[in-house]
Amino acid sequence: LSEVKFSLTSNRGCFGECAFCALTFHQGRIVTARSKDALVDEAKELVQDADFKGYIHDVGGPTANFSGPACAKQARAGACPHKRCLSPQPCKRLVADHAPYLEVLRELRQLPEVKKVFVRSGVRFDYVLLDEDHGEEFLRELMAHHVSGQLRVAPEHVSDNVLSVMGKPPHAVYERFLAQCELANDASGKEQYVVPYLMSSHPGSTLADAIELAEYCRDMGFSPRQVQDFYPT
């Protein structure tokens, strides 16, 4: 309960449009974000609560690092009906910008009553890599200030056959992200880990794909406590 009570919802909607996710129907593909001032004002109210211990447990939404519409056209004319923003390749109109989210996190960190601001909502890792201006900066600050030992991200699978059906980026993109995380982690001087969400039984997955996923978990020494198994609803 306290994790919900002392968390801030910074955005709504998701233009990731993964094939297995219902957020497109619940909240839509056009991201709307709250202003920095609104979030800081809410945080100032949170810290006055008698139960507040100095920790903001999350600042995010369906995808934490989305801070607005995917592009100017989407903001003006709505989401493209027959085209995804990030899959199978990022749209050339996509604007990847972490600057607004960084500003929010920095200002929240400066509040005198706040000891730590965590980001526990999902971070879209391919979007981080697309931001040439602020992506590395965001990742450095994320690892240095906003992770509690483990950063959870959702590559979902390792087989490119399955990932293409899911609407997720190729596995090589996730490996690039891991390399960037390692650099950011070294810079922070902390021992922290990236923990992946992985999914079995997604449509399009063959026995060979399942074996590839199992061997990947084995090779990285990953013994999951929970299993995410796809089933149609």
Side-chain angles (χ1 to χ4, degrees), residues 99-127:
Y101 191 43
L102 271 170
E103 289 181 15
V104 169
L105 294 174
R106 288 168 179 166
E107 191 145 341
L108 292 173
R109 292 202 308 262
Q110 297 305 313
L111 294 177
E113 301 89 348
V114 173
K115 297 177 183 176
K116 190 86 172 177
V117 180
F118 293 109
V119 175
R120 291 196 168 104
S121 292
V123 171
R124 183 86 188 209
F125 59 86
D126 50 337
Y127 186 74

Side-chain angles (χ1 to χ4, degrees), residues 2-143:
S2 65
E3 290 197 4
V4 176
K5 182 177 181 181
F6 299 118
S7 293
L8 301 173
T9 300
S10 61
N11 64 56
R12 176 180 174 84
C14 183
F15 52 77
E17 203 178 1
C18 302
F20 49 82
C21 183
L23 276 165
T24 298
F25 304 101
H26 293 169
Q27 298 190 12
R29 290 174 58 194
I30 300 176
V31 173
T32 55
R34 296 174 62 194
S35 70
K36 179 183 69 176
D37 291 343
L39 289 164
V40 172
D41 287 346
E42 185 178 350
K44 289 177 179 177
E45 290 183 15
L46 286 184
V47 303
Q48 303 304 316
D49 192 290
D51 295 328
F52 185 73
K53 306 299 183 186
Y55 301 98
I56 295 177
H57 294 284
D58 188 23
V59 183
T63 302
N65 56 326
F66 287 173
S67 299
C71 65
K73 178 178 180 290
Q74 190 182 72
R76 183 181 68 253
C80 297
H82 304 300
K83 187 177 182 182
R84 288 172 169 164
C85 300
L86 285 161
S87 176
Q89 296 293 330
C91 178
K92 62 183 180 181
R93 295 179 183 269
L94 179 69
V95 178
D97 184 10
H98 289 78
Y101 191 43
L102 271 170
E103 289 181 15
V104 169
L105 294 174
R106 288 168 179 166
E107 191 145 341
L108 292 173
R109 292 202 308 262
Q110 297 305 313
L111 294 177
E113 301 89 348
V114 173
K115 297 177 183 176
K116 190 86 172 177
V117 180
F118 293 109
V119 175
R120 291 196 168 104
S121 292
V123 171
R124 183 86 188 209
F125 59 86
D126 50 337
Y127 186 74
V128 175
L129 297 177
L130 290 171
D131 186 350
E132 297 180 358
D133 295 325
H134 303 287
E136 289 186 17
E137 183 181 16
F138 167 73
L139 196 53
R140 284 197 306 270
E141 294 195 23
L142 180 70
M143 300 303 285

